[in-house]
Amino acid sequence: MFITEFKMKTLEVEDKIDLTKIVKALWQHKRQYLISCAIAMVIGAIFALSIPNTYKSQIVLAPEMSNNSLSDKFSGLAAMAGLNLGSINSSVDAVYPMIYPNVIESTPFVLELFDVKIPTKDAQGKKITFYEYLEKHQKASLLSLFLSLFHRSPSEDATAVNSKTGDREVIHLTEKQMAIKKAVNKMVTCHVDKRTDIITLSVVSQDPIVSAILVDTVACRLQQYIIKYRTSKAESDLNYSLKIQQEEKTRFEEAQQQYTSFADKHIDVVFETPRQRLKTLENDMNLKYQTYSQVTQQVQLAKAKVQERTPVFTVIEPAVVPTRKNAPARTLIVLGFIFIAFIGTSVWILVKR
């Protein structure tokens, strides 16, 4: 037992001595540290300056919350406990706040953004499409240019063609369009608070004006998409009710015309047969009028249903043109290069010795 404790103390002493030797050995090469760190600082500065500035603009939306169902009445209490009862109501609406990010990243949604007209600083106030901006007005960093040497550039010769398979349309994208779609997915982000359903849309681009315009456009397109989804069934019912209303109106007017025409021709007739015929036409006209009135009421209810199903979004924070850049953090990049150079120099010295 005594021998073991003595060996352990000896090893601790040797470890301290070795650590001291390592520090002294590294200190002897302080000139190499200065040179490597200076070179790393210059390279890091060049690399950091090559990264274009990006600007971030965002919009905060609050969707309409309905309190008609029993589960909705307890949603506020559940939110205080850190829970979300949105999944309970998901059986009613397939598109609920938690899948809004998936909607924004979907191919049809992104393709609709390609034709958005935007003014840019580089185009001297001339409006260009968002697709053209991403294709011709983007600055690349040194790292991107270096990596592009090892990757084949996307093809621009082919054109996108959409074909139909059954009742659905199949989307075909060129390599260039697919690359730009991925770039848009990186630029546009959507965050939904699980407890409050507050929606935060943000866009990061190299132009502050583009960031503000695009995030506002994305918010409007998202609202239109949700409104179209939630009111599509109600609008379909409304259109059907309007069609039935028009048909019943035509039938009522025809019956009314027959009744008035027959009544005018037999106004002084005292025979029973014409009187019975006139009464039959009057009953038919009244019956068609009742049907027309009922259908008109259904139309009013269908219009009210469309209005009820139309969601309302409250803009808590509107889009603002950013005045300060969002990235890059050039100081941290330079410090990172210096740190890597310090570690690399230390390893090289120790391995060499």
Side-chain angles (χ1 to χ4, degrees):
M1 186 68 180
F2 175 76
I3 297 176
T4 304
E5 293 180 355
F6 177 76
K7 288 183 178 180
M8 293 178 62
K9 292 182 179 180
T10 305
L11 289 175
E12 292 178 358
V13 174
E14 289 180 353
D15 290 340
K16 292 181 180 179
I17 295 175
D18 291 341
L19 182 60
T20 305
K21 288 183 179 180
I22 290 174
V23 173
K24 289 182 178 180
L26 296 178
W27 179 253
Q28 293 175 358
H29 298 79
K30 54 183 179 294
R31 183 176 180 183
Q32 294 182 3
Y33 279 106
L34 292 175
I35 295 175
S36 62
C37 290
I39 294 175
M41 184 177 63
V42 174
I43 296 176
I46 296 175
F47 178 80
L49 292 174
S50 70
I51 301 176
N53 294 335
T54 57
Y55 301 86
K56 181 179 181 180
S57 181
Q58 67 179 21
I59 285 182
V60 180
L61 302 174
E64 177 187 32
M65 301 296 293
S66 61
N67 295 318
N68 297 326
S69 63
L70 182 61
S71 60
D72 289 335
K73 293 180 181 180
F74 291 100
S75 61
L77 297 176
M80 296 176 61
L83 302 176
N84 182 24
L85 299 182
S87 59
I88 299 178
N89 299 324
S90 61
S91 59
V92 180
D93 285 336
V95 178
Y96 53 97
M98 296 311 300
I99 69 168
Y100 290 172
N102 302 87
V103 173
I104 292 177
E105 293 178 0
S106 63
T107 301
F109 191 92
V110 174
L111 292 181
E112 291 181 355
L113 299 177
F114 284 176
D115 297 330
V116 176
K117 296 289 185 178
I118 53 175
T120 62
K121 296 185 300 183
D122 298 337
Q124 298 179 353
K126 179 183 177 182
K127 289 188 176 182
I128 60 176
T129 62
F130 182 54
Y131 183 89
E132 184 180 356
Y133 167 75
L134 294 177
E135 185 181 19
K136 300 179 181 179
H137 296 270
Q138 291 292 287
K139 299 177 182 179
S141 63
L142 291 178
L143 181 60
S144 301
L145 295 176
F146 177 76
L147 294 177
S148 63
L149 299 176
F150 301 94
H151 295 278
R152 182 175 61 88
S153 58
S155 174
E156 300 181 5
D157 298 333
T159 56
V161 178
N162 296 341
S163 60
K164 278 194 173 182
T165 303
D167 296 331
R168 299 182 181 274
E169 188 178 61
V170 180
I171 301 175
H172 297 272
L173 298 180
T174 63
E175 294 182 2
K176 187 70 174 179
Q177 290 176 331
M178 183 59 70
I180 292 181
K181 176 189 174 298
K182 293 180 180 179
V184 174
N185 289 337
K186 293 180 180 179
M187 293 173 57
V188 182
T189 57
C190 176
H191 174 73
V192 180
D193 192 310
K194 295 182 179 180
R195 294 184 297 176
T196 61
D197 285 341
I198 297 296
I199 306 168
T200 303
L201 299 172
S202 59
V203 172
V204 178
S205 72
Q206 298 179 10
D207 193 313
I209 300 178
V210 172
S211 298
I213 292 178
L214 187 60
V215 74
D216 185 70
T217 303
V218 170
C220 293
R221 298 286 175 87
L222 179 62
Q223 294 179 47
Q224 293 173 3
Y225 178 91
I226 298 169
I227 292 173
K228 181 180 179 181
Y229 165 77
R230 294 198 61 185
T231 60
S232 59
K233 180 63 169 61
E235 287 184 350
S236 177
D237 294 341
L238 174 60
N239 293 332
Y240 179 76
S241 298
L242 289 172
K243 179 182 177 181
I244 299 299
Q245 182 191 34
Q246 186 62 35
E247 293 176 357
E248 295 300 330
K249 181 180 179 182
T250 302
R251 293 175 183 175
F252 165 69
E253 290 176 348
E254 291 176 356
Q256 187 181 38
Q257 181 65 28
Q258 292 179 4
Y259 171 76
T260 55
S261 178
F262 189 86
D264 291 340
K265 292 179 181 180
H266 301 81
I267 188 171
D268 295 329
V269 177
V270 294
F271 296 103
E272 189 65 24
T273 301
R275 292 174 61 185
Q276 290 295 331
R277 174 61 178 170
L278 184 64
K279 187 175 182 180
T280 301
L281 292 176
E282 183 180 5
N283 292 336
D284 183 64
M285 179 186 66
N286 293 333
L287 181 62
K288 286 183 169 55
Y289 176 76
Q290 292 178 3
T291 305
Y292 172 67
S293 299
Q294 293 176 358
V295 174
T296 301
Q297 293 178 0
Q298 293 179 0
V299 170
Q300 298 301 324
L301 292 176
K303 290 181 179 180
K305 187 65 175 179
V306 172
Q307 181 64 29
E308 179 186 354
R309 293 289 297 170
T310 302
V312 178
F313 293 86
T314 302
V315 180
I316 299 178
E317 181 67 30
V320 178
V321 178
T323 56
R324 295 183 179 181
K325 67 176 183 178
N326 177 64
R330 293 188 171 90
T331 303
L332 294 179
I333 293 176
V334 174
L335 292 177
F337 270 82
I338 295 175
F339 178 76
I340 293 174
F342 180 84
I343 297 298
T345 303
S346 301
V347 173
W348 180 80
I349 292 173
L350 295 176
V351 172
K352 183 179 179 181
R353 290 178 62 89

